[in-house]
Amino acid sequence: MPVTLDSRDADFETAFRALLEAKREDSPDVDATVAGIIADVRKRGDAALIELTAKFDRLDLSAETLRISAAEIAEAVEQVSQKERKALETAAERIRAYHTRQVPNDAQWTDPDGATLGWRWTPVSAAGLYVPGGLASYPSSVLMNAVPAKVAGVGRLAMVVPSPDGVLNPLVLLAAQIAGVDEIYRIGGAQAVAALAYGTETIPPVDKITGPGNAFVAAAKRRVFGKVGIDMIAGPSEILVIADGDNDPDWIALDLLSQAEHDESAQSLLITTDADFGRAVAASVEKYLQTLERRAIAGASWQEFGAIITVPDLDTAAALSNRIAPEHLELCVADPTALSEKITHAGAIFLGQWTPEAIGDYVGGPNHVLPTARSARFSSGLSVLDFMKRTTLAQMSPDALRAIGPAAEVLARSESLEAHGLSVTARLRKLNG
Amino acid sequence: MPVTLDSRDADFETAFRALLEAKREDSPDVDATVAGIIADVRKRGDAALIELTAKFDRLDLSAETLRISAAEIAEAVEQVSQKERKALETAAERIRAYHTRQVPNDAQWTDPDGATLGWRWTPVSAAGLYVPGGLASYPSSVLMNAVPAKVAGVGRLAMVVPSPDGVLNPLVLLAAQIAGVDEIYRIGGAQAVAALAYGTETIPPVDKITGPGNAFVAAAKRRVFGKVGIDMIAGPSEILVIADGDNDPDWIALDLLSQAEHDESAQSLLITTDADFGRAVAASVEKYLQTLERRAIAGASWQEFGAIITVPDLDTAAALSNRIAPEHLELCVADPTALSEKITHAGAIFLGQWTPEAIGDYVGGPNHVLPTARSARFSSGLSVLDFMKRTTLAQMSPDALRAIGPAAEVLARSESLEAHGLSVTARLRKLNG
């Protein structure tokens, strides 16, 4: 059984804090290894990639076979069933429709002083998408990263995905094809991140790298940050369900388990106004844990990090939720919209009992790459904006310079930046004859 | 003399690459020291802050005097001249007006499948602003960081600024007051960043930290990233001026020098279609370098990293500019708007001869915290968005779940995430009777 709490108990605050601060992930310190790998790829390029891929993925490559060919992709995707292809296309279409609305507007205006101001958004020229191999190689993640990049207008989208022992994942390749990925390389780990950031003879460098990965990939992304842009460093997944007593305990149990089955470090929390309902959900979780394919993982996560919290009212639920700042938040209550308005920190909100979080993982439309580990307090899920950047624009008319130039001169002088001031003074002298 | 190049020369590409790759900053590796300081502040809180401030700033503080009191602030700001106060107010007002236009819109819509989708932006609850002490303690930077935070709706804005030997900077305190900063602490270095990120007995933690600083501050920001959000890690400043021959060489020389005077590592570049004009600018720079207060700094920067590049036409200028991805770009040409449309990567563009870059440092309106070191390829200047985050919203109607749920079931199964699929299946079973 996971921890059960009641917000009215005397020791609740202590127990709740422990829950908030639970360290769920013990990242091994692989930074020194990763630094060595990056230096090697920078120095030896393709040769280093080939050597490291032979070592880690037991796969012999040449410069010619680093990239997965169009023929190989075509052959692999033929293995995907029509049903799966259709589902991927539905997902891609819905993700595309949602993200198209995120494309930001440019702006330009002239203010009363005569200054024309504005900004313009432009896409990143080239982006790289990391896709893990093995168990965590999710076609849905390919869509969630690649579609926003293409909606943003990224010209060149390169994907890297390790293929241990040469095994390709047809669904991942099909998702890449549907999303419009331009190049796919069969490399992974820190060496793939280094290749994307610095380029090799075969792989031109990109400007931004996104996508999930293991500790080596995360450390590599941290290291190349600055040379290129990166998305967030994601931690283990988490869900908070706020539910009143008027729900089917099985549905809520399955929603909690759908996070727990990701990873032993995942966290599933339930806050309910109905203690009996909470007990019914706990019983249902135990029931499903008898049969689920991934019951070992889900059970460990639920046992170690799960919790059921009873609260007297939904205001208390909202207040606790804002302290948790959950990645995923389900509001299974009579008026989810009203409750959602009290939520100030959450990656994604799923409103009402017909919106299980799993819908958001695949076909809802919003991105499933979301801030974990309470980082929804200060960051957002992946979006089109992650693949664009804003250039600010300013043009002074002579009148505008006359109006605001003197203030700039004063401030430049007060900061002891003489040339700053003189660059304005020289122009004002001309204007004022 | 700095390097002079002509894009038509045979060895241009080599020389231009060298310019792009010039390592302008030799960051000392202070990471181990910084890790120790952060651990100390986490462990001992105020006591560590007080000890480190005594050591580095030669200043004896107590828990009661860590924060600069309202009376001290009032006394300090009285020393500021009316002229300087007025200039700061003009700057703040214009920065506020510009940034108010950046406040993003929420969105909500119902799609043809019956899914109600959208997003909502909310401010970060608490932000921390780092302000350097000494020579780089700029009141304009206080405005550029604090005003966007307050426009975003940040509830609590805490500022840290070291005061070596107890000396306060009245202009910095006045800028903080004008911008609406809520709390000011007289601490600096990695210890101040640690206090903001983790909190102490006296200083509640914040969710996001912005502002410039030295190598220790930068290393500390990198280390606390994840626990809190941070803005960019800024490198030395740079400017690129693209000018035709129809400009006053003195004006352009002063614009180049206004970057060079910041820092010996700053970089000032001129691209011109007129080689004679380029020579006239070079001569003018030498002239001003005889008299400028900061001629030692500006001269070193110009000598080491400056360049004048002659090109046959403005299209070539734009292409080179996009490879440089400059922090600041001045377009001093007959039709700056037309040229600006060819620019794909730049932090800020200043259009026309009446818009010296220094206007943008103080009173233009756009932010002066901008991506350096070619990072305009993938990132943007500071904005209101840096102090907000987006929560995505999704609500399925029963019809919507019926329409798109089956695709989610298929994809969950293909990713071997059984509970994901079952959470949809259980609901569809109810819907389909």
Side-chain angles (χ1 to χ4, degrees):
Chain A
M1 272 294 294
V3 60
T4 59
L5 305 173
D6 189 306
S7 69
R8 286 154 297 196
D9 286 351
D11 59 352
F12 173 75
E13 181 61 25
T14 309
F16 184 71
R17 273 178 195 253
L19 201 63
L20 280 187
E21 286 157 18
K23 191 167 162 51
R24 289 188 282 135
E25 204 182 23
D26 230 359
S27 294
D29 189 0
V30 297
D31 197 48
T33 309
V34 164
I37 290 174
I38 293 175
D40 193 23
V41 172
R42 285 185 71 174
K43 193 173 160 196
R44 298 196 300 131
D46 286 347
L49 283 184
I50 289 167
E51 206 174 294
L52 290 161
T53 304
K55 181 174 165 191
F56 293 121
D57 296 339
R58 300 160 303 280
L59 181 62
D60 283 325
L61 297 178
S62 65
E64 289 66 41
T65 56
L66 279 172
R67 182 165 171 181
I68 304 181
S69 71
E72 281 174 287
I73 296 171
E75 194 189 315
V77 303
E78 286 229 349
Q79 299 167 36
V80 178
S81 72
Q82 268 310 308
K83 199 162 142 184
E84 285 176 316
R85 172 184 284 272
K86 203 86 189 20
L88 274 179
E89 283 168 351
T90 298
E93 198 180 303
R94 291 189 56 87
I95 296 164
R96 195 173 294 122
Y98 182 92
H99 287 78
T100 298
R101 294 196 182 232
Q102 290 180 331
V103 177
N105 291 320
D106 295 343
Q108 190 170 310
W109 66 94
T110 300
D111 73 14
D113 287 323
T116 300
L117 302 173
W119 63 74
R120 206 175 56 207
W121 290 89
T122 44
V124 166
S125 295
L129 163 54
Y130 190 93
V131 178
L135 216 60
S137 191
Y138 295 138
S140 58
S141 286
V142 174
L143 296 182
M144 291 290 181
N145 280 273
V147 170
K150 281 297 174 181
V151 169
V154 170
R156 176 179 160 247
L157 180 55
M159 182 172 122
V160 292
V161 55
S163 63
D165 302 305
V167 179
L168 299 174
N169 180 333
L171 274 160
V172 161
L173 297 181
L174 179 58
Q177 196 178 65
I178 289 171
V181 169
D182 300 291
E183 305 157 13
I184 309 177
Y185 300 94
R186 60 188 114 216
I187 52 175
Q191 60 273 24
V193 174
L196 289 173
Y198 291 98
T200 69
E201 301 89 324
T202 302
I203 307 178
V206 302
D207 302 305
K208 174 112 189 185
I209 301 176
T210 71
N214 63 16
F216 290 87
V217 172
K221 280 168 69 180
R222 235 179 229 278
R223 279 211 161 248
V224 301
F225 170 51
K227 165 71 181 163
V228 299
I230 62 167
D231 61 342
M232 67 200 76
I233 307 277
S237 196
E238 68 221 15
I239 190 172
L240 167 62
V241 180
I242 300 179
D244 57 28
D246 197 17
N247 279 283
D248 185 326
D250 282 353
W251 299 6
I252 305 302
L254 286 166
D255 296 349
L256 295 169
L257 287 166
S258 71
Q259 284 311 300
E261 74 177 345
H262 268 296
D263 187 340
E264 292 187 6
S265 305
Q267 183 167 52
S268 302
L269 306 173
L270 170 64
I271 299 183
T272 180
T273 45
D274 183 331
D276 287 339
F277 176 76
R279 278 183 284 273
V281 170
S284 175
V285 167
E286 297 304 328
K287 176 185 74 184
Y288 286 112
L289 280 176
Q290 305 300 312
T291 58
L292 272 186
E293 283 161 27
R294 297 170 74 118
R295 57 186 174 272
I297 293 170
S301 155
W302 178 241
Q303 188 66 35
E304 188 76 19
F305 302 114
I308 296 178
I309 304 173
T310 306
V311 292
D313 50 56
L314 292 178
D315 279 351
T316 306
L320 293 179
S321 176
N322 288 335
R323 288 178 64 189
I324 295 168
E327 182 191 10
H328 303 102
L329 174 61
E330 271 188 30
L331 303 180
C332 297
V333 297
D335 187 348
T337 301
L339 182 54
S340 78
E341 281 157 13
K342 294 174 181 155
I343 301 302
T344 51
H345 310 309
I349 303 180
F350 304 87
L351 296 98
Q353 60 175 341
W354 302 108
T355 320
E357 185 276 329
I359 284 290
D361 282 337
Y362 297 114
V363 293
N367 212 289
H368 81 195
V369 181
L370 292 164
T372 58
R374 306 188 61 220
S375 62
R377 292 174 297 124
F378 54 82
S379 63
S380 311
L382 197 70
S383 81
V384 167
L385 294 186
D386 289 291
F387 298 98
M388 303 189 80
K389 63 269 182 335
R390 191 186 47 241
T391 299
T392 60
L393 305 170
Q395 178 164 25
M396 300 299 123
S397 65
D399 279 350
L401 192 68
R402 228 182 253 123
I404 68 175
E409 289 179 287
V410 169
L411 293 173
R413 209 168 304 131
S414 76
E415 292 184 354
S416 301
L417 293 170
E418 188 190 5
H420 283 66
L422 288 178
S423 74
V424 178
T425 307
R427 287 163 166 97
L428 286 179
R429 199 172 293 141
K430 169 87 172 271
L431 279 180
N432 298 329
Chain B
M1 273 294 293
V3 60
T4 58
L5 306 173
D6 189 307
S7 69
R8 286 154 295 192
D9 285 351
D11 60 351
F12 174 76
E13 183 59 28
T14 310
F16 184 71
R17 273 180 195 251
L19 201 64
L20 280 186
E21 285 158 18
K23 191 166 162 52
R24 289 189 282 134
E25 204 179 25
D26 230 358
S27 296
D29 189 359
V30 297
D31 196 50
T33 309
V34 164
I37 291 174
I38 294 174
D40 193 24
V41 173
R42 287 185 69 172
K43 191 172 161 199
R44 298 195 301 130
D46 286 348
L49 283 184
I50 290 166
E51 207 174 292
L52 291 161
T53 304
K55 182 174 163 190
F56 293 120
D57 296 339
R58 300 159 304 279
L59 182 63
D60 282 326
L61 297 178
S62 66
E64 289 68 41
T65 57
L66 278 173
R67 182 166 170 180
I68 304 180
S69 72
E72 282 173 286
I73 295 170
E75 196 190 313
V77 303
E78 286 229 350
Q79 299 167 35
V80 178
S81 72
Q82 268 310 308
K83 199 161 138 183
E84 285 176 317
R85 174 185 283 272
K86 203 86 188 16
L88 274 178
E89 283 169 352
T90 298
E93 200 178 302
R94 292 190 53 88
I95 297 164
R96 196 174 293 120
Y98 183 92
H99 287 77
T100 299
R101 294 196 182 230
Q102 290 180 331
V103 176
N105 292 320
D106 295 344
Q108 191 170 310
W109 67 93
T110 300
D111 73 14
D113 286 323
T116 300
L117 303 172
W119 62 76
R120 206 174 57 208
W121 289 89
T122 45
V124 165
S125 295
L129 164 53
Y130 190 94
V131 179
L135 216 60
S137 191
Y138 296 137
S140 58
S141 287
V142 174
L143 297 181
M144 291 291 180
N145 280 272
V147 170
K150 281 297 173 179
V151 168
V154 169
R156 176 179 161 247
L157 180 57
M159 182 172 122
V160 293
V161 56
S163 62
D165 302 305
V167 179
L168 299 174
N169 180 334
L171 275 160
V172 161
L173 297 180
L174 180 57
Q177 198 177 64
I178 289 171
V181 169
D182 299 292
E183 305 159 11
I184 309 178
Y185 301 93
R186 60 188 116 216
I187 52 174
Q191 60 272 24
V193 174
L196 289 173
Y198 290 98
T200 69
E201 302 89 323
T202 302
I203 307 177
V206 302
D207 302 304
K208 174 111 189 185
I209 301 176
T210 71
N214 63 17
F216 290 86
V217 172
K221 281 168 69 182
R222 234 178 230 278
R223 280 213 161 247
V224 301
F225 170 52
K227 165 70 181 165
V228 298
I230 62 167
D231 61 344
M232 68 199 77
I233 309 276
S237 196
E238 69 222 14
I239 190 172
L240 167 62
V241 180
I242 299 179
D244 57 28
D246 197 17
N247 278 282
D248 186 325
D250 281 355
W251 299 7
I252 303 304
L254 286 166
D255 296 351
L256 295 170
L257 286 166
S258 71
Q259 285 310 301
E261 73 176 346
H262 267 297
D263 188 342
E264 293 186 6
S265 305
Q267 183 166 52
S268 302
L269 306 174
L270 169 64
I271 298 183
T272 181
T273 45
D274 183 331
D276 287 338
F277 178 75
R279 278 184 285 270
V281 170
S284 176
V285 167
E286 296 305 328
K287 176 183 73 184
Y288 285 112
L289 281 176
Q290 305 299 313
T291 58
L292 272 186
E293 284 162 26
R294 297 170 74 119
R295 58 184 174 274
I297 294 170
S301 156
W302 178 242
Q303 188 65 36
E304 190 75 19
F305 301 115
I308 297 179
I309 304 173
T310 305
V311 292
D313 51 55
L314 292 177
D315 279 351
T316 306
L320 293 178
S321 176
N322 288 335
R323 289 178 64 188
I324 295 168
E327 181 191 11
H328 304 102
L329 174 61
E330 272 189 28
L331 303 180
C332 297
V333 297
D335 188 349
T337 302
L339 182 55
S340 80
E341 281 157 13
K342 294 174 181 155
I343 301 301
T344 51
H345 310 310
I349 303 180
F350 304 89
L351 295 97
Q353 59 175 341
W354 302 108
T355 320
E357 186 276 329
I359 284 291
D361 281 339
Y362 297 114
V363 294
N367 212 287
H368 81 195
V369 181
L370 293 165
T372 58
R374 307 188 59 220
S375 61
R377 291 174 297 124
F378 55 81
S379 64
S380 311
L382 197 70
S383 82
V384 166
L385 294 186
D386 289 292
F387 299 98
M388 303 189 80
K389 61 271 181 334
R390 189 188 47 241
T391 299
T392 60
L393 305 169
Q395 178 163 25
M396 300 299 123
S397 65
D399 279 349
L401 193 67
R402 228 181 253 121
I404 68 176
E409 289 178 288
V410 170
L411 293 173
R413 209 168 304 130
S414 75
E415 293 184 354
S416 301
L417 293 171
E418 187 189 6
H420 282 67
L422 288 178
S423 73
V424 177
T425 307
R427 288 164 167 97
L428 287 179
R429 199 173 292 140
K430 170 84 171 273
L431 279 180
N432 298 329

